[in-house]
């Protein structure tokens, strides 16, 4: 049997495939456009694994997807493919509309057509898992209750609006066509292979290179952080036992301000890789408050009791264990980050951030 993963060369998709092949003998096809965020290096450990296949392609390309489905006959699709960075969506929203909305729509259409023609038992077993974000629910006040699956959709950035739109399409395919789709809405992930434009890898990379650590606004925005392999285990649980048409919120029970995150990372680095610079002895001294992100959401928090009660899933990592592993991974893989920062990413940073 085969599962098809879209966007598997990115951060979460790559972790999902690596973890999948540690616990299953089922073949995985990774279908990825290889945008700036898609890095085949993330999966170099699987080069000789006969169960792993990479196909370069775009989820907006209906003909290619239909051919892929016909040829490989997957029993499930896990859709990670997306433009995922809020700051980029503020500067250039077009790609977000194309991939996250039109791409999800075309993928749904092709998959529905494929599913519709499956024989009855395969049709019953088929699943389409759509990976989404807690950002679709908008921003929470300091003491407001965490997001549940019934929270109102109030997306505030072009990124979250495009993901919200894709979630609505997925929902409509279940309600209109009985298409067996499930949506997961997850909080902020961190861990190995995260592109160094996102907060945690950016702080690690800038610290060890003695560059400024940019904190947007007052740094008191709150996110709920989940170690990526816990997210991957939740998706496997949803694929196995989740009910079609359902939505599952996934979170780490780790609400932290951005400043807390940055101090924690700097403190771990002060211990694990002390600065040799004669002036900068403490990485925390690199913190630099910069202009706030436009429309910056103040707080996200996830109530994950549905997946915990109905599917018996809980995160394994605490923030302390997850962040230590993450910092260590980046210290052990400096060349992975340097390859990225010396190429396309740098050009983009120059263009957009002068
Ligand atoms: P990422 O940006 O690291 O990776 C996205 C991947 O999708 C890349 O490999 C890219 O090449 C690929 N891709 C982009 N456009 C494509 C297209 N048109 N066709 C095929 N492939 C395409 O993102 P990520 O952080 O791994 O996030 C994966 C998914 O999880 C996204 O849908 C995102 O919205 C969601 N999510 C992310 C987080 C987080 O904290 N990173 C949290 C919740 C949900
Ligand atoms: P990010 O990793 O971009 O994830 P998201 O916007 O999806 O939550 O950012 C996490 C938080 O960190 C968010 O509140 C923005 C903030 N942030 C900074 O303060 N400085 C930075 O350089 C970056 C990239 C993010």
């Amino acid at each position: 049997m085969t599962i098809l993963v879209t966007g598997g060369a990115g951060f979460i998709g790559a972790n999902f495939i690596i973890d999948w092949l540690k616990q299953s003998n089922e073949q995985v096809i990774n279908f990825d456009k290889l945008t700036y965020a898609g890095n085949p290096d993330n999966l170099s450990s699987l080069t000789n694994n006969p169960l792993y296949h990479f196909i370069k392609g775009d989820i907006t390309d209906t003909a290619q997807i239909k051919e892929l489905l016909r040829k490989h006959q997957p029993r499930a699709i896990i859709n990670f493919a997306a433009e995922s960075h809020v700051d980029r969506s503020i500067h250039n929203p077009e790609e977000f509309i194309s991939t996250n909305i039109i791409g999800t729509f075309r993928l749904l259409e092709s998959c529905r057509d494929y599913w519709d023609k499956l024989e009855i038992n395969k049709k019953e077993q088929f699943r389409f898992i759509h990976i989404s974000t807690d950002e679709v629910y908008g921003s929470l006040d300091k003491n407001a209750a965490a997001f549940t699956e019934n929270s109102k959709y109030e997306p505030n950035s072009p990124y979250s609006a495009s993901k919200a739109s894709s979630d609505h399409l997925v929902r409509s395919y279940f309600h209109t066509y009985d298409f067996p789709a499930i949506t997961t809405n997850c909080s902020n992930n961190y861990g190995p292979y995260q592109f160094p434009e996102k907060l945690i890898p950016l702080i690690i990379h800038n610290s060890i290179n003695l560059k400024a650590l940019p904190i947007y606004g007052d740094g008191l925005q709150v996110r709920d952080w989940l170690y990526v392999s816990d997210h991957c285990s939740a998706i496997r649980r949803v694929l196995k036992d989740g009910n079609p048409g359902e939505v599952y919120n996934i979170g780490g029970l780790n609400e932290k301000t951005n400043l807390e995150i940055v101090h924690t990372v700097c403190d771990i680095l002060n211990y694990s890789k002390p600065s040799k610079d004669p002036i900068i002895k403490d990485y925390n001294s690199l913190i630099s408050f910069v202009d706030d992100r436009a429309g910056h959401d103040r707080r996200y928090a996830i109530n994950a009791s549905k997946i915990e009660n109905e599917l018996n899933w809980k995160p394994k990592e605490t923030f302390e264990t997850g962040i230590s592993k993450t910092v260590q991974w980046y210290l052990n893989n400096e060349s992975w980050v340097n390859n990225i920062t010396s190429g396309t990413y740098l050009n983009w940073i120059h263009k957009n951030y002068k």
Side-chain angles (χ1 to χ4, degrees):
M1 290 210 284
T2 299
I3 61 162
L4 171 63
V5 168
T6 68
F11 164 47
I12 306 174
N15 277 284
F16 179 83
I17 293 172
I18 292 167
D19 287 2
W20 178 267
L21 289 171
K22 281 184 191 153
Q23 53 79 55
S24 165
N25 289 325
E26 189 175 2
Q27 161 165 266
V28 186
I29 295 180
N30 176 11
F31 182 77
D32 195 296
K33 185 178 173 183
L34 297 184
T35 66
Y36 79 94
N39 185 348
D41 265 7
N42 298 355
L43 295 146
S44 57
S45 62
L46 302 177
T47 310
N48 297 318
N49 189 325
L51 295 175
Y52 173 66
H53 303 279
F54 175 74
I55 298 170
K56 185 173 185 305
D58 189 328
I59 58 167
T60 64
D61 185 341
T62 301
Q64 195 186 6
I65 290 181
K66 284 196 165 171
E67 175 55 17
L68 184 73
L69 295 171
R70 189 196 61 73
K71 194 167 162 199
H72 296 283
Q73 301 281 306
R75 62 140 181 130
I77 320 282
I78 300 116
N79 181 31
F80 293 94
E83 287 294 330
S84 70
H85 190 40
V86 174
D87 292 329
R88 286 181 190 251
S89 84
I90 294 167
H91 291 275
N92 186 9
E94 186 102 20
E95 277 299 309
F96 290 73
I97 306 306
S98 173
T99 287
N100 300 0
I101 304 181
I102 297 171
T104 304
F105 160 69
R106 293 199 179 141
L107 187 64
L108 280 167
E109 264 301 87
S110 305
C111 292
R112 178 171 76 89
D113 182 57
Y114 162 74
W115 164 79
D116 215 23
K117 294 174 183 141
L118 289 174
E119 60 186 56
I120 187 74
N121 63 331
K122 286 190 177 164
K123 199 170 174 179
E124 276 170 14
Q125 299 294 319
F126 183 83
R127 294 288 180 273
F128 182 102
I129 314 293
H130 179 61
I131 308 303
S132 193
T133 166
D134 59 359
E135 304 193 23
V136 297
Y137 300 122
S139 185
L140 286 168
D141 290 338
K142 199 172 175 204
N143 297 316
F147 300 127
T148 71
E149 290 76 4
N150 296 321
S151 294
K152 198 167 141 197
Y153 268 46
E154 286 182 336
N156 290 321
S157 70
Y159 164 65
S160 54
S162 67
K163 291 297 289 186
S165 175
S166 67
D167 294 5
H168 290 322
L169 285 166
V170 171
R171 176 189 160 88
S172 76
Y173 271 61
F174 173 75
H175 284 274
T176 307
Y177 307 110
D178 283 334
F179 181 67
I182 302 175
T183 298
T184 60
N185 294 90
C186 187
S187 59
N188 284 57
N189 284 216
Y190 66 101
Y193 302 111
Q194 186 165 32
F195 198 83
E197 65 187 349
K198 303 275 168 74
L199 181 67
I200 290 177
L202 181 99
I203 295 303
I204 300 170
H205 178 70
N206 282 15
S207 295
I208 58 187
N209 289 289
L210 301 175
K211 290 188 192 157
L213 310 180
I215 305 285
Y216 300 164
D218 61 8
L220 298 179
Q221 304 83 1
V222 172
R223 301 290 184 262
D224 171 5
W225 293 91
L226 178 69
Y227 190 65
V228 64
S229 63
D230 279 326
H231 187 190
C232 296
S233 77
I235 296 167
R236 292 197 301 275
R237 192 65 58 87
V238 168
L239 174 62
K240 187 165 169 280
D241 295 323
N243 288 320
E246 292 291 330
V247 171
Y248 298 95
N249 279 359
I250 304 170
L253 296 172
N254 283 312
E255 281 190 60
K256 308 270 179 209
T257 66
N258 294 339
L259 265 178
E260 282 177 286
I261 296 288
V262 175
H263 286 315
T264 303
V265 168
C266 290
D267 292 346
I268 296 174
L269 285 171
N270 281 336
Y271 178 78
S272 307
K273 193 177 165 86
S275 165
K276 296 197 173 89
D277 187 85
I279 299 165
I280 294 152
K281 296 283 179 206
D282 176 357
Y283 295 113
N284 285 289
S285 65
L286 293 166
I287 286 177
S288 162
F289 289 89
V290 299
D291 286 349
D292 208 352
R293 171 188 278 173
H296 200 170
D297 285 336
R298 198 70 186 160
R299 175 175 166 239
Y300 306 136
I302 280 274
N303 177 336
S305 41
K306 178 174 172 181
I307 189 167
E308 188 179 330
N309 296 335
E310 293 184 13
L311 303 185
N312 198 23
W313 173 87
K314 256 189 175 174
K316 284 210 174 89
E317 300 290 343
T318 63
F319 186 70
E320 288 66 33
T321 59
I323 196 68
S324 302
K325 283 185 188 182
T326 303
V327 173
Q328 200 50 54
W329 187 88
Y330 280 91
L331 291 179
N332 294 342
N333 291 276
E334 277 188 58
S335 61
W336 180 87
V337 181
N338 291 336
N339 285 344
I340 293 171
T341 52
S342 58
T344 322
Y345 173 64
L346 201 59
N347 294 337
W348 186 86
I349 288 284
H350 281 155
K351 196 167 144 233
N352 290 284
Y353 288 111
K354 298 182 199 74

